[in-house]
Amino acid sequence: MASTAGGTGMDAFDTAALRRRVLDAWTAAPARFREDANAEEELALGGYRDRLVVELAQNAADAAGRAGVPGRLRLTLREGVRAAANTGAPLDATGVESLATLRASSKREEGAVGRFGVGFSAVLA
């Protein structure tokens, strides 16, 4: 399902194009699909399995640092649905692409915690 902005049905982050590029890459090189699937399974079963809250807090800290504001993270659980919200720089298309890929972080600024692009995979676990 495409992401929406304000419930308008608009694909604000162009996730349809991102999805198409990934599917095209997997079609052109089927071994790449297996490689990506194996890497995600390794992360889900391995070291990042129990790091969900830590990774969300690190993403919140990085967003606050980019915006130059004090960091805050709110985690809620309602009817079996976990939600996370934080202060700081809003998620942009580059950030969405980074979250949708493995080992492709857009974070390169000094002091950023999540610059290796694997931590958010803890959410999958």
Side-chain angles (χ1 to χ4, degrees):
M1 183 161 78
S3 66
T4 61
T8 64
M10 183 177 71
D11 188 358
F13 297 115
D14 201 13
T15 57
L18 172 61
R19 191 169 33 259
R20 173 70 1 229
R21 288 192 305 271
V22 170
L23 292 173
D24 287 347
W26 286 344
T27 299
R32 177 63 191 264
F33 171 78
R34 178 56 27 219
E35 179 183 3
D36 289 350
N38 287 345
E40 287 196 24
E41 182 178 23
E42 177 185 9
L43 282 172
L45 297 174
Y48 283 84
R49 178 178 49 200
D50 299 326
R51 293 186 47 92
L52 173 63
V53 174
V54 171
E55 297 301 332
L56 291 171
Q58 288 175 338
N59 283 345
D62 287 344
R66 283 192 307 277
V69 299
R72 294 187 63 182
L73 172 64
R74 176 179 289 178
L75 300 173
T76 58
L77 177 62
R78 290 192 186 116
E79 299 178 17
V81 176
R82 290 184 190 132
N86 59 275
T87 57
L91 194 58
D92 59 13
T94 302
V96 169
E97 184 171 13
S98 293
L99 293 176
T101 57
L102 185 61
R103 294 189 171 101
S105 177
S106 64
K107 297 177 186 176
R108 291 291 175 244
E109 62 271 5
E110 183 70 29
V113 178
R115 65 186 176 277
F116 299 110
V118 294
F120 200 75
S121 294
V123 173
L124 295 174

